[in-house]
Amino acid sequence: MGWQSKYSFGGQSVDFPNHNSGCRYANTCGPKGNFETSCSNHTMFCKCFSLSAEKTRDRLRIECSWRGSYVHTRSLSYYPGAVPRTIKMQIASLYLWPQSLEIPILDPSTVAINKPVGILHVKVVRAHKLLKMDFLGTSDPYVKLNLTGESLPAKKTSIKKRNLNPVWNEKFKLVVKDPESQVLQLEVFDWDKVGTHDRLGMQFVPLKLLTANETKEFKLDLLKHTFIADPYDKKPRGNIVIELTYAPFREESIKVDGIGDVLSRKESSLDRPSLNSSEVLSGAGLLSVTVQGAEDVEGLRHNNPYAVIRFRGDKKKTKKIKKTRHPLWNEEFQFMLEEPPLNDTIRIQVMSRRKGIGFHSKECLGKLDINLTDVVHNGRINTKYHLLNSKNGKIHVDIKWTIV
């Protein structure tokens, strides 16, 4: 299969090969002509314009499109017998088929940087001399904060009504995945009851400026936007004071398991940091729940499974996968806790949903309640569970408790 080419110009008729393509001239349109080249699935049309009357040299201007989309316009020099070569070099070679695209596959060492490695403790202390945005010469400020590289919703402080020098003293915890590249982003907004909230200013703090387990205070002048050297941004916007502490997880290493590995229910003692019982059973930490996939889940009317995770009143969902009894999600959910979940259970349901509204648009394909006591003591449980209210359904869950 190759390009089937046809060129109509003047009174010449010339054939030439071009990767299994033929090209010829035919006297069909006089001083202006059309060039057409196509394969079985794609067609490229080139219209010729602006041909001069010189006998020794003509200027040929072509306009090309592929499937009706504009590609480029350029002028070509025409000499008798040279047009086929020019078109061959300038046009046809650009549309060789098939073409290949190399996609690198991530190795485990690359994936490891996306795993949580610590907690950033943020205390929003106060702000000073904020902009006046309201009609009465005040503002209703609040602060939004988040880490770059995260899709999680931003944290927010409370709103301080009619205050240009607000004091918050509010604390937040953010999950850190790469302290060398991630940046804390702070935005101060003026709350409005109607319409969008006006941004009073913003600032950034790279996490690489922090020392592990040491609290550092920052007094930051607020900026209009990310372009720090903006010569037109001379308006004072006030400042904000925050305290930051980066607490890395107390682990010897962050490991990524290979695909297809059969994991034991308990981790080896070599993989766990040496902690006494009081440290294990107390203190804040991160509960990570990874829903890998399910097997043999079957609905009565439809099979579009997704998983729902419920923990301490919080609800999270995986994506829905259509028309399958063996979904693979591989989605991770995180819960920041002030103390170990010794007496807690986590519920996971596999649901199916179809479009439309009706009594049977949603149904449960199975459920499971997991006691987290073993997770706290062992550090991690990675296994497959049989689903209740399901004939043969199983679900693969990886739950990990990491002490801060």
Side-chain angles (χ1 to χ4, degrees):
M1 179 180 64
W3 294 102
Q4 300 300 320
S5 302
K6 179 177 63 179
Y7 184 82
S8 53
F9 178 81
Q12 301 183 54
S13 178
V14 180
D15 294 323
F16 73 99
N18 183 15
H19 46 278
N20 297 328
S21 295
C23 184
R24 71 168 185 262
Y25 288 106
N27 187 6
T28 59
C29 58
K32 291 191 177 182
N34 294 314
F35 169 81
E36 176 180 334
T37 178
S38 64
C39 68
S40 59
N41 296 319
H42 307 284
T43 301
M44 181 178 66
F45 299 95
C46 301
K47 294 184 178 181
C48 304
F49 304 95
S50 307
L51 183 64
S52 68
E54 298 179 15
K55 295 181 179 180
T56 58
R57 180 177 179 181
D58 292 331
R59 298 293 295 179
L60 181 64
R61 186 171 181 267
I62 64 172
E63 179 178 326
C64 305
S65 64
W66 191 7
R67 284 184 172 179
S69 299
Y70 179 77
V71 179
H72 64 82
T73 300
R74 70 164 61 190
S75 295
L76 298 177
S77 297
Y78 166 63
Y79 294 91
V83 172
R85 291 195 303 274
T86 304
I87 293 177
K88 176 182 178 180
M89 292 185 295
Q90 299 294 334
I91 300 176
S93 62
L94 299 177
Y95 301 96
L96 295 175
W97 199 264
Q99 298 192 22
S100 62
L101 175 65
E102 294 184 4
I103 302 176
I105 304 299
L106 296 178
D107 57 22
S109 61
T110 305
V111 179
I113 64 174
N114 293 323
K115 295 295 181 179
V117 296
I119 301 297
L120 178 66
H121 298 266
V122 182
K123 182 179 181 181
V124 181
V125 182
R126 62 184 180 273
H128 185 56
K129 293 184 178 181
L130 298 177
L131 291 179
K132 301 174 183 179
M133 302 299 292
D134 295 343
F135 179 73
L136 299 177
T138 61
S139 292
D140 304 321
Y142 69 93
V143 181
K144 288 177 63 176
L145 57 152
N146 66 288
L147 287 174
T148 57
E150 284 291 344
S151 58
L152 299 175
K155 306 284 187 181
K156 296 181 182 180
T157 67
S158 59
I159 301 169
K160 299 297 181 181
K161 295 291 188 70
R162 297 179 294 278
N163 198 333
L164 299 179
N165 302 285
V167 177
W168 287 285
N169 284 321
E170 297 181 19
K171 297 180 180 180
F172 303 90
K173 294 179 180 179
L174 304 175
V175 178
V176 178
K177 294 183 178 179
D178 187 3
E180 291 299 317
S181 65
Q182 285 188 291
V183 176
L184 174 66
Q185 176 174 300
L186 300 156
E187 296 178 284
V188 183
F189 286 89
D190 172 42
W191 177 84
D192 288 317
K193 188 174 183 179
V194 179
T196 59
H197 301 177
D198 299 318
R199 188 167 66 187
L200 303 177
M202 64 188 306
Q203 257 296 358
F204 303 90
V205 181
L207 300 192
K208 63 183 179 181
L209 299 179
L210 304 176
T211 302
N213 299 315
E214 290 186 10
T215 301
K216 188 172 182 179
E217 182 179 281
F218 293 86
K219 185 176 181 180
L220 307 168
D221 292 328
L222 294 174
L223 306 173
K224 182 179 180 180
H225 45 61
T226 57
F227 183 31
I228 300 176
D230 185 359
Y232 301 101
D233 186 19
K234 301 297 183 181
K235 187 176 183 180
R237 296 177 173 273
N239 56 67
I240 186 171
V241 178
I242 60 172
E243 294 179 0
L244 303 180
T245 307
Y246 170 57
F249 292 147
R250 288 182 285 181
E251 290 187 309
E252 293 177 354
S253 61
I254 305 293
K255 296 188 176 181
V256 177
D257 300 296
I259 299 175
D261 290 346
V262 179
L263 302 174
S264 62
R265 188 176 178 84
K266 295 184 180 181
E267 287 184 320
S268 169
S269 59
L270 295 177
D271 296 333
R272 296 275 290 156
S274 56
L275 302 173
N276 56 48
S277 59
S278 62
E279 290 180 310
V280 172
L281 303 179
S282 63
L286 178 70
L287 182 68
S288 302
V289 181
T290 303
V291 184
Q292 303 282 6
E295 301 174 2
D296 296 318
V297 291
E298 187 172 2
L300 296 176
R301 299 169 184 86
H302 45 83
N303 290 298
N304 304 311
Y306 63 97
V308 180
I309 298 92
R310 301 177 188 270
F311 178 70
R312 289 187 178 180
D314 200 358
K315 179 181 176 180
K316 301 180 184 294
K317 296 180 181 180
T318 67
K319 60 180 177 291
K320 181 178 72 173
I321 302 180
K322 296 181 179 180
K323 298 181 180 180
T324 181
R325 296 173 57 238
H326 310 284
L328 293 175
W329 296 295
N330 195 27
E331 295 188 37
E332 183 179 14
F333 306 94
Q334 299 165 352
F335 303 89
M336 279 298 309
L337 306 178
E338 296 294 335
E339 57 186 15
L342 284 169
N343 300 314
D344 290 283
T345 59
I346 188 168
R347 168 163 289 194
I348 301 177
Q349 290 178 290
V350 180
M351 305 292 294
S352 178
R353 184 179 67 246
R354 67 181 179 188
K355 292 184 178 180
I357 301 175
F359 292 106
H360 305 302
S361 62
K362 183 187 297 186
E363 61 178 294
C364 180
L365 309 184
K367 63 180 181 179
L368 171 70
D369 290 329
I370 303 176
N371 191 300
L372 298 178
T373 303
D374 287 345
V375 178
V376 175
H377 286 285
N378 299 323
R380 182 179 184 183
I381 290 179
N382 188 347
T383 190
K384 294 182 180 179
Y385 298 89
H386 288 279
L387 291 168
L388 300 177
N389 301 332
S390 176
K391 184 177 180 181
N392 298 311
K394 297 179 182 179
I395 189 168
H396 184 186
V397 182
D398 183 0
I399 307 178
K400 188 175 182 180
W401 171 247
T402 309
I403 300 172
V404 178

